[in-house]
Amino acid sequence: YTMMGMVHARARNQDAAINAFQEAIKLNKSIVYAHLFLGTALMLSNRFEEAIGPINKALALDPSLTHVNFYLGHVYSSLGRWDEAIASYGAEIESHPKSPEAYQDLARLFVRLGDENVAERERYYLNAIETFRKWSEIVPEDADTHNLIGYLYMMIGRHDPAIAAFERAIRVDSNHILALYNVGTAYLDIDRNLDAKEIFERLTYVGEGFIREQFARISPNVEAPIPLSMGEAYQKLGAASLKIYQADPSKSRELLSEAEKAFKASLRYIPSDIHSLYNLGITHYMMGCRAAALKELRQVLEIQPNHEDATNTLHVIEEELAKVRNWLGSKVWKRLESSTDQTPVYSE
């Protein structure tokens, strides 16, 4: 009966599997796998409350079984019994420390709890980080885990440990696409603009082919993220160039040209990107191209009417242009006053 239940379970006929396992248990209550597989069949049928008893019975009969506490963690999570889920995943990690699924699901549970409880978010995220950190000690060459640690640190505003984790991921895998984007963004956030520029120059230089190849390793839908990723890389490259110039205007104005080129490239990939449009407007303003800046800032406000920075900058430029018009008008009027039929004023 146990073997028959396993065959039904493999064929995804859970009801028949459940009946077979129950028949096995009637004949012999000490068959560990009959209890275990009955519990998993009930779990896969979303009969979570019923699954708890058989899984616990299997664990009582043989505490050395792998994944049993992991299954309990999944069941308790599905029921919203968070403390019991955390305890079960923890028990699986303690008894079988090389079980990656337990670390991953426990960390995901902490992240979920943090997302649902803003007041306790940092505590839950730090618990998730600690869970991933323990796994990284067992498998230090897992770049994905280092990247996830960095991402969670970024989410709670701890840039230094985030950057350290991203850099560790890149040391393990120099082409880890997510870690490259993440570390570049983190560099921008703390004004390590030269480092950010270097990262995003690399990403834009290697181009779509490289990004497509890297995303193929982690996503079945390779084409969808390409435009967004390329647009983001150019947008952040432009932001890095602009910030370097703003921090020290004595630097070469070539940085403004580089920023302009990058923002325009970003807009070819993502035409309505607010960040690129706004920053292109700022770049043009700093280059003295006020008409172009006005056009881009007005586009920003068409997309996002309450964009405060765009509104304020637009007013500044309009006031400056009004002064220019007044000055120009007075100059032209004075010249026109001196105009005669013999010496007319045309071009000026």
Side-chain angles (χ1 to χ4, degrees):
Y1 275 112
T2 300
M3 295 298 292
M4 190 184 302
M6 292 170 66
V7 172
H8 282 307
R10 283 293 181 92
R12 299 186 180 182
N13 187 352
Q14 300 299 342
D15 289 339
I18 289 166
N19 291 333
F21 294 135
Q22 287 173 335
E23 289 299 322
I25 291 167
K26 285 179 185 177
L27 294 172
N28 185 344
K29 291 182 172 56
S30 298
I31 298 181
V32 176
Y33 285 102
H35 290 285
L36 176 59
F37 294 140
L38 172 59
T40 58
L42 290 165
M43 177 183 73
L44 292 170
S45 301
N46 295 329
R47 293 163 63 177
F48 297 113
E49 285 286 1
E50 296 173 70
I52 295 171
I55 297 175
N56 270 322
K57 181 64 176 178
L59 188 60
L61 289 169
D62 185 355
S64 69
L65 285 172
T66 64
H67 283 80
V68 181
N69 278 302
F70 172 76
Y71 295 140
L72 279 173
H74 177 73
V75 168
Y76 287 133
S77 290
S78 301
L79 293 169
R81 292 162 62 171
W82 311 125
D83 290 341
E84 290 163 293
I86 291 168
S88 295
Y89 286 133
E92 181 68 27
I93 289 169
E94 185 175 346
S95 58
H96 301 94
K98 293 187 177 181
S99 173
E101 300 90 348
Y103 293 92
Q104 291 163 5
D105 277 26
L106 177 57
R108 288 192 192 103
L109 176 55
F110 282 133
V111 171
R112 175 181 176 178
L113 293 173
D115 290 342
E116 293 175 356
N117 187 346
V118 177
E120 294 291 323
R121 177 167 296 168
E122 182 167 341
R123 177 172 68 87
Y124 283 122
Y125 276 18
L126 288 172
N127 285 336
I129 289 167
E130 179 61 17
T131 304
F132 280 132
R133 189 194 61 76
K134 287 178 180 177
W135 175 244
S136 72
E137 289 179 352
I138 296 170
V139 187
E141 299 304 303
D142 186 348
D144 291 336
T145 299
H146 295 305
N147 179 63
L148 286 168
I149 290 171
Y151 175 77
L152 290 170
Y153 271 126
M154 282 282 285
M155 293 295 288
I156 56 175
R158 298 194 182 187
H159 287 81
D160 288 343
I163 288 170
F166 294 139
E167 289 175 339
R168 198 172 297 119
I170 294 167
R171 283 197 296 274
V172 172
D173 178 2
S174 61
N175 291 328
H176 196 289
I177 193 71
L178 297 179
L180 286 168
Y181 272 91
N182 286 334
V183 78
T185 302
Y187 287 152
L188 270 180
D189 285 348
I190 62 170
D191 288 329
R192 286 177 59 178
N193 300 313
L194 286 169
D195 292 327
K197 188 171 184 286
E198 182 180 338
I199 290 288
F200 291 114
E201 278 178 336
R202 175 187 171 187
L203 288 168
T204 54
Y205 177 77
V206 294
E208 293 184 27
F210 170 80
I211 291 176
R212 182 178 288 105
E213 179 184 327
Q214 297 308 311
F215 272 116
R217 297 162 54 185
I218 58 176
S219 172
N221 186 358
V222 176
E223 293 304 318
I226 301 300
L228 290 174
S229 299
M230 288 301 300
E232 180 184 352
Y234 276 112
Q235 187 266 319
K236 289 181 176 176
L237 173 58
S241 298
L242 181 58
K243 288 178 75 175
I244 292 168
Y245 181 81
Q246 287 174 318
D248 184 3
S250 66
K251 290 185 179 294
S252 170
R253 288 178 66 83
E254 182 63 26
L255 285 164
L256 293 177
S257 298
E258 291 178 13
E260 177 191 31
K261 183 179 178 182
F263 291 134
K264 286 182 175 179
S266 174
L267 289 166
R268 285 196 293 272
Y269 284 100
I270 315 172
S272 58
D273 180 54
I274 288 285
H275 299 294
S276 293
L277 274 172
Y278 173 73
N279 283 322
L280 181 58
I282 295 297
T283 302
H284 278 148
Y285 173 58
M286 298 186 77
M287 295 171 76
C289 305
R290 292 186 179 88
L294 282 176
K295 178 184 175 183
E296 284 126 20
L297 293 171
R298 285 169 179 157
Q299 284 180 273
V300 170
L301 293 172
E302 285 175 11
I303 298 168
Q304 189 176 319
N306 61 345
H307 195 293
E308 188 176 347
D309 290 335
T311 301
N312 293 337
T313 308
L314 189 68
H315 288 161
V316 169
I317 297 173
E318 286 174 339
E319 288 175 4
E320 288 182 3
L321 285 176
K323 291 177 182 177
V324 170
R325 282 193 295 271
N326 290 335
W327 176 85
L328 191 60
S330 66
K331 281 287 186 183
V332 169
W333 182 253
K334 287 178 182 178
R335 294 302 300 272
L336 286 172
E337 282 184 325
S338 64
S339 175
T340 66
D341 292 341
Q342 290 74 31
T343 58
V345 175
Y346 293 118
S347 61
E348 293 187 70

